[in-house]
Amino acid sequence: MGEFTNLRVHPDVPGGMRMLRQSGIRLFTMTNGAAAMTEKILAREGLIDLVEARLDVSGPAAWKPARAAYDYAVDHAGVRPGRASLVAVHPWDIDGAQRAGLTGAWLERRGEPYPSAMSAPQITAPDLEALAAMWRDAGTDPA
């Protein structure tokens, strides 16, 4: 498990995160792993200051895609689920977030079809920079 902290972010992540923050979007992370691992990765990549809080499932004591995990994250952010978006590459995470009332944004990195057994993502983009540009250019709130 310690090797996870050696992972590098995808090339689009730094630019995408900066674009989102420049657009006034608050960023949080929520992982089924340990927030400390996320913090190490973000710090190494020079991105930690862009993220308001790094959360994990130890807070709600429920793993995603359980609704309690998403409720914990939006409660921590102080917003209603309908005012929050989850951006992920995992369809199960998108499905869980949407069932909890969040907007689901899927990064379709591999070009594979989204599983029909799960609720379709409300937003699809090839990567984080493209998603950030979509939200910026639309001039609308991402939630």
Side-chain angles (χ1 to χ4, degrees), residues 5-110:
T5 60
N6 294 325
L7 292 174
R8 302 302 308 249
V9 298
H10 286 271
D12 58 287
V13 170
M17 287 178 68
R18 288 185 181 98
M19 290 170 65
L20 290 167
R21 286 298 300 136
Q22 289 167 356
S23 296
I25 296 171
R26 298 168 61 203
L27 303 178
F28 295 77
T29 61
M30 178 63 174
T31 181
N32 277 344
M37 286 196 316
T38 302
E39 288 173 358
K40 287 179 184 177
I41 294 168
L42 292 171
R44 185 190 63 242
E45 300 286 338
L47 302 170
I48 199 157
D49 292 340
L50 300 175
V51 179
E52 193 168 322
R54 281 83 49 201
L55 309 172
D56 63 36
V57 294
S58 66
W63 284 41
K64 298 183 298 172
R67 182 184 187 107
Y70 305 101
D71 288 345
Y72 173 77
V74 296
D75 287 348
H76 190 86
V79 298
R80 297 181 324 276
R83 300 287 301 149
S85 297
L86 174 99
V87 178
V89 297
H90 306 292
W92 58 264
D93 210 355
I94 300 295
D95 185 72
Q98 290 181 165
R99 289 175 188 272
L102 287 74
T103 296
W106 181 44
L107 300 184
E108 186 185 17
R109 292 194 182 279
R110 297 182 185 154

